[in-house]
């Protein structure tokens, strides 16, 4: 009986140690993968879909670090999840996901843009072949240039916004073009569409997918002050 008891105790102890070892190995493996690749982040973000519940997003991404209400749609609240590699914004309306955006914060965060053949930080704005519907730009509280498109019936007529927003990755040439466009707009001069072609060569670091109007998702961008206050 004594020998059997010792044997059972030894087996139980070894199983407990194995579970601890297994958990430690998994944590180390995920840490290595996260440091050297973006696969874990890509997989996690790919699970976000329009129509999911707010509870699902909380379980998937954790608690948001910041939030603010939309001024264009009183029913929408934006929630912000800041990571070293990206900024995720979730637009919640009636306790469900009505839109989301991802902004790359590292040069190698080349995530695929859903429903398109375009890759963030890897292809210029001109790579998006859908007909351009509108553009948005500013160089006051934040320097950015973005374009909006309708994704059509195959993507539930969701709206797509892609653009270059200056949280640190926008090139000097693109920043100068953004400033020149806004200067002309602010002085009341007519802006010919051909003048926007210079921005078509810019490489986007932000995309947004939503069932909301595109201007609402553009409104969701944090100002430079807000971004630094929340995440730097």
């Amino acid at each position: 009986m004594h020998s059997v008891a010792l044997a059972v105790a030894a087996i139980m102890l070894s199983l407990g140690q194995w579970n601890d070892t297994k958990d430690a190995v998994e944590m180390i493996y995920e840490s290595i993968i996260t440091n050297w690749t973006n696969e874990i982040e890509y997989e996690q973000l790919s699970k976000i879909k329009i129509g999911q519940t707010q509870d699902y997003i909380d379980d998937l991404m954790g608690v948001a670090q910041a939030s603010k209400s939309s001024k264009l749609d009183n029913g929408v609240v934006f929630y912000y999840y800041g990571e070293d590699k990206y900024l995720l914004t979730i637009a919640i309306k009636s306790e469900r996901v009505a839109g989301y955006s991802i902004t790359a914060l590292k040069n190698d965060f080349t995530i695929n843009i859903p429903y398109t053949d375009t890759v963030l930080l890897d292809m210029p704005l001109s790579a998006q072949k859908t007909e351009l519907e509108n553009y948005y730009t500013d160089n006051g509280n934040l320097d950015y240039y973005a374009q909006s498109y309708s994704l059509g019936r195959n993507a539930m007529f969701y709206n797509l916004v892609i653009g270059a927003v200056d949280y640190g990755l926008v090139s000097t040439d693109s920043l100068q073009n953004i400033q020149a466009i806004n200067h002309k707009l602010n002085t009341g001069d007519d802006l010919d569409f051909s003048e926007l072609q210079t921005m078509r060569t810019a490489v986007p670091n932000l995309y947004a997918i939503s069932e909301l109007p595109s201007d609402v998702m553009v409104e969701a961008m944090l100002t430079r002050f807000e971004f630094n206050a929340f995440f730097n």
Side-chain angles (χ1 to χ4, degrees):
M1 291 289 292
H2 180 66
S3 298
V4 171
L6 286 176
V8 170
I11 292 171
M12 292 177 68
L13 181 61
S14 65
L15 287 174
Q17 291 173 336
W18 164 247
N19 287 333
D20 291 342
T21 302
K22 178 172 174 288
D23 291 342
V25 169
E26 288 178 351
M27 289 177 62
I28 293 170
Y29 173 75
E30 288 187 2
S31 177
I32 292 172
I33 293 298
T34 299
N35 285 333
W36 293 98
T37 76
N38 301 316
E39 296 307 315
I40 290 177
E41 289 86 353
Y42 293 162
E43 181 180 357
Q44 184 180 34
L45 292 172
S46 70
K47 296 177 181 178
I48 300 173
K49 310 292 182 185
I50 304 296
Q52 290 169 335
T53 65
Q54 186 172 4
D55 288 342
Y56 175 85
I57 296 298
D58 289 343
D59 288 341
L60 178 66
M61 302 303 303
V63 178
Q65 292 100 314
S67 69
K68 68 177 183 179
S69 299
S70 169
K71 295 179 180 178
L72 298 176
D73 187 329
N74 293 331
V76 172
V77 178
F78 305 117
Y79 292 90
Y80 301 92
Y81 303 78
E83 301 291 342
D84 289 340
K85 298 179 181 181
Y86 66 87
L87 171 66
L88 169 68
T89 303
I90 302 288
I92 296 293
K93 186 171 184 177
S94 301
E95 299 184 353
R96 60 187 291 280
V97 177
Y100 66 93
S101 71
I102 294 171
T103 305
L105 302 178
K106 297 291 185 181
N107 284 317
D108 64 345
F109 200 74
T110 52
I111 190 170
N112 294 326
I113 300 177
Y115 311 111
T116 77
D117 297 324
T118 309
V119 180
L120 218 59
L121 288 177
D122 188 58
M123 299 178 178
L125 287 167
S126 58
Q128 178 59 31
K129 301 303 182 183
T130 314
E131 184 177 355
L132 173 64
E133 290 195 338
N134 207 344
Y135 73 92
Y136 307 85
T137 184
D138 194 8
N139 72 326
N141 295 320
L142 179 67
D143 293 334
Y144 70 84
Y145 174 84
Q147 299 181 164
S148 64
Y149 309 84
S150 174
L151 290 173
R153 69 180 63 185
N154 291 333
M156 303 289 291
F157 293 100
Y158 292 149
N159 292 311
L160 168 68
V161 174
I162 55 176
V165 52
D166 185 27
Y167 294 136
L169 290 186
V170 179
S171 70
T172 302
D173 287 345
S174 293
L175 281 177
Q176 290 175 347
N177 289 332
I178 290 171
Q179 290 165 5
I181 289 171
N182 279 277
H183 176 73
K184 196 162 187 179
L185 291 172
N186 291 336
T187 55
D189 292 339
D190 292 332
L191 186 69
D192 189 88
F193 185 76
S194 62
E195 296 180 69
L196 298 178
Q197 292 303 107
T198 56
M199 288 305 306
R200 298 276 290 164
T201 62
V203 176
N205 63 342
L206 168 144
Y207 78 81
I209 305 278
S210 76
E211 59 186 18
L212 300 168
S214 294
D215 57 348
V216 175
M217 294 308 297
V218 171
E219 179 200 18
M221 293 182 192
L222 291 173
T223 66
R224 189 177 294 104
F225 174 82
E226 290 171 331
F227 178 80
N228 290 330
F230 293 144
F231 302 113
N232 277 350

